[in-house]
Structures are given as C-alpha cells and as structure tokens.
Amino acid sequence: MPFYPNAFFASDLSDNVINGVNLALKTAADEFGKYGPVEYWVLGTDKQAALDLINKFCERYYYGPMLPYCNSIETDETREHSMIAYQKIGENAILNNRPMGSAGHNGGFGRGIHNLTSSYPFNFDNLFEGHPPQEDFKTVLHEYFHVVQISSVYNLEREERESKIKPGGTIWMMEGAAEYMANYTLFKLIDNGTIDFEKSWGTLREKMQNKMNNGKLNIEENCPNSKLNEFTYQSCNSAGYDLGSWGVAYLINKVNNQNILLDTFYPNLKELGFEGAFNLAFGFTTEEFYEEFEEFLQLPIEQQLEIIPDI
Ligand SMILES: [Zn+2]
C-alpha cells in the first residue's frame, strides 16, 4: 500500500523538529519502501503537552472503557515504552544537560499499523555541541528499517515473528541491519547531494571504526569471548548493534549489493525462515558466516574498513 508514514508531535516541539522528522520519514520511505500505515509519535519535554498527545493517541484508537485504560497505560511513568516514559527521557536530558534519547517500534499489530515512539529528538534543535541533526535523522532511518523488517513477518503470530527476525533472541541482524542501513543510506544521500546539512558529520568509515572499537571494548568488559550470534537485548546488547552493523556490512560487501536485504533477504524471510533466506541472499550458511566473521574481526582496522563504502 503506497502510504507515506504519518508523524504526530507534542505541541512543545519546534518547527526544526517537525520538519526534521518529517523529512527523515519521507526519505526513509523513499529509500526503504512503503509498508502500509506507519505512525511516528514524537514526545517533547513538557508534561502537559505529552498528556495532550497521549489523549490524542488514545482517542484515535479507543472508546468506551478502553479509552481511560489506554490513558492509564500510556501515562504510567514506571512502565517501559509508555509514551510518558519517552517524555521523561527528554525532560531528563534537559534537566541533566546530557544528550539522552530513545525511540522504538512499539507494535501496533492489533490496530493494523506500525506504531513508533520517540523521545525529544533534540539534535534537530542543535541543543548539544557535537551532536548535529544527522544523529536524529539517522535514528528515524534506523527505526523505519524496523518497519521493513517487521513488515516482512507482520501477520504471523508473535513467537513465529520473533523467531524469524531474531532467531534464538539474537539481535545482530535485527539491530545491525537497522543501524548499518540507516548510516549507509544517510551518508549515501549526503554524498550524492540529495540531502544537505549545515555541519559535517564525518564519514561512514569513521562511524564504522567507532562501532568496531566500541563493540570490541563492550565484549571485553561485559561478555568475554561472546560471538556475534550470542548477543541479545539482555547480553552484550550494544555489541549487538555495533558489531551487528559490521556483520551486515560484511555480508553486503560479500555479495556486492547494498540493497540485498531489501531485495532478497527480507522479502523471503517469511517463506524461507532466517536460515533459508540467509542462504538465498548470501550464498552460504550462518554457521560458515559466523566462523568467517570471527576471523574478519582479527584483521587490522585498515583492512576491515576496505569493505565499507568510502562515503
Ligand atoms: Zn533498533
């Protein structure tokens, strides 16, 4: 269905935020495709503005006794991923003068939509030195890539869905693909002049070098000797993102097709399952890949960076 994503903003957000999120969402849909109704709900820092947005959200989908129920859930600050919890993150970032943000795909299956939520994307307002708008733009692309992934298994039961996009709870493909594709796409569009930012954000290779360093450090400190397929949301979570991006970059480079996930892997995931779609897209087994990738991780960084597009 040819829908562009829809965004909803708390009333305390600036035009910079509104325009930034809207452009990033349109860009994501143009680059990654359209997958039915996608709603991106953006919270600010003001509590009353958040409560108004929550009310708008609940009234959009619920009536009768479900309406106060929706409100009570989404205004519960202790509840992870409640809308008010996202508002708190933004409020605390300002209070503590620390750049903290969060965004996520929070389901929507029962309503036939993709429901995404974001805390205050302050980088669009240039609030913190060294954190330009590109960071928030990248986050929107990352979250939208989860729409691509989840769309590929959308109408399956929860367990089957999870086992296909995160087999055994492993997150390297889910988060690594979202993170790599978001970064690659952003740098590609900057490089070819499609989008323009005031300040530079460095290069894709610099970002990937940081991910290699951070990923290895994270393993050393938190889960020594863990392999790519052992990272979960509970164990070595951030290595799942950082080295997961490298795993995906490795696979993309192997088949020399930056669109392989969109063209082949995800369109076949539902039918063939993770292993089958992986074999089809990349021409070898996950077992063989995990072994090769461990060897790749031992190479000097200069050699590793050769697989990353120079943009
Ligand atoms: Zn993610």
Side-chain angles (χ1 to χ4, degrees):
M1 282 177 284
F3 288 112
Y4 270 112
N6 233 323
F8 301 82
F9 299 92
S11 62
D12 59 325
L13 292 168
S14 70
D15 283 349
N16 282 338
V17 168
I18 294 171
N19 296 335
V21 169
N22 280 334
L23 179 62
L25 280 172
K26 181 181 182 300
T27 304
D30 287 339
E31 292 294 315
F32 301 150
K34 302 192 187 89
Y35 300 89
V38 174
E39 295 189 359
Y40 205 90
W41 294 78
V42 189
L43 283 299
T45 59
D46 182 71
K47 184 158 184 185
Q48 189 54 50
L51 293 175
D52 292 344
L53 189 72
I54 290 169
N55 205 43
K56 181 173 174 178
F57 171 85
C58 289
E59 284 192 332
R60 192 172 163 81
Y61 291 107
Y62 302 101
Y63 58 93
M66 285 303 284
L67 183 57
Y69 178 69
C70 169
N71 262 293
S72 73
I73 285 186
E74 298 298 345
T75 56
D76 182 351
E77 290 178 6
T78 63
R79 204 180 170 101
E80 223 186 345
H81 308 304
S82 70
M83 289 174 79
I84 205 74
Y86 284 95
Q87 179 265 327
K88 273 272 161 241
I89 293 170
E91 190 184 333
N92 286 333
I94 304 302
L95 279 175
N96 307 327
N97 198 27
R98 274 187 36 205
M100 280 288 296
S102 179
H105 188 305
N106 290 313
F109 303 100
R111 286 172 273 131
I113 66 160
H114 292 272
N115 184 184
L116 297 98
T117 323
S118 169
S119 66
Y120 173 34
F122 43 75
N123 299 313
F124 284 127
D125 283 331
N126 279 305
L127 230 54
F128 294 97
E129 189 66 36
H131 296 272
Q134 287 95 318
E135 287 190 10
D136 281 331
F137 202 107
K138 190 270 294 175
T139 299
V140 174
L141 294 177
H142 174 116
E143 296 310 326
Y144 193 85
F145 202 80
H146 288 325
V147 171
V148 177
Q149 296 169 315
I150 290 171
S151 289
S152 73
V153 293
Y154 191 82
N155 53 5
L156 301 176
E157 294 294 326
R158 185 192 169 88
E159 250 174 56
E160 211 188 338
R161 212 165 55 215
E162 300 272 301
S163 77
K164 287 193 162 137
I165 50 179
K166 291 178 293 192
T170 182
I171 62 169
W172 71 266
M173 177 62 101
M174 171 109 177
E175 295 301 347
E179 191 55 19
Y180 179 76
M181 290 301 283
N183 276 280
Y184 165 73
T185 303
L186 181 52
F187 281 106
K188 179 189 80 177
L189 296 175
I190 293 171
D191 187 60
N192 69 19
T194 304
I195 30 178
D196 200 30
F197 294 93
E198 227 163 90
K199 286 187 199 138
S200 164
W201 196 41
T203 67
L204 179 59
R205 286 185 173 177
E206 285 170 15
K207 297 285 169 252
M208 292 302 287
Q209 183 162 356
N210 290 339
K211 289 181 192 302
M212 182 60 81
N213 294 340
N214 294 340
K216 284 186 166 175
L217 199 65
N218 187 250
I219 295 183
E220 240 173 68
E221 284 173 357
N222 301 310
C223 49
N225 303 317
S226 279
K227 305 282 186 287
L228 188 66
N229 58 332
E230 293 165 357
F231 307 142
T232 65
Y233 285 128
Q234 289 75 40
S235 164
C236 249
N237 170 26
S238 89
Y241 287 69
D242 289 333
L243 298 184
S245 313
W246 271 98
V248 168
Y250 182 91
L251 292 167
I252 284 176
N253 178 69
K254 179 181 154 71
V255 296
N256 194 22
N257 175 2
Q258 296 287 331
N259 276 323
I260 190 77
L261 295 173
L262 295 164
D263 292 351
T264 309
F265 181 75
Y266 283 108
N268 286 287
L269 181 60
K270 186 174 159 186
E271 189 71 23
L272 302 179
F274 191 91
E275 188 67 29
F278 186 96
N279 297 167
L280 179 73
F282 306 113
F284 63 165
T285 66
T286 53
E287 201 66 27
E288 290 168 314
F289 163 58
Y290 295 140
E291 257 174 55
E292 269 187 42
F293 188 68
E294 282 309 307
E295 285 169 34
F296 175 78
L297 285 180
Q298 309 307 317
L299 297 176
I301 186 70
E302 295 75 25
Q303 233 170 307
Q304 291 169 333
L305 285 171
E306 281 169 20
I307 71 163
I308 306 297
D310 189 14
I311 49 177

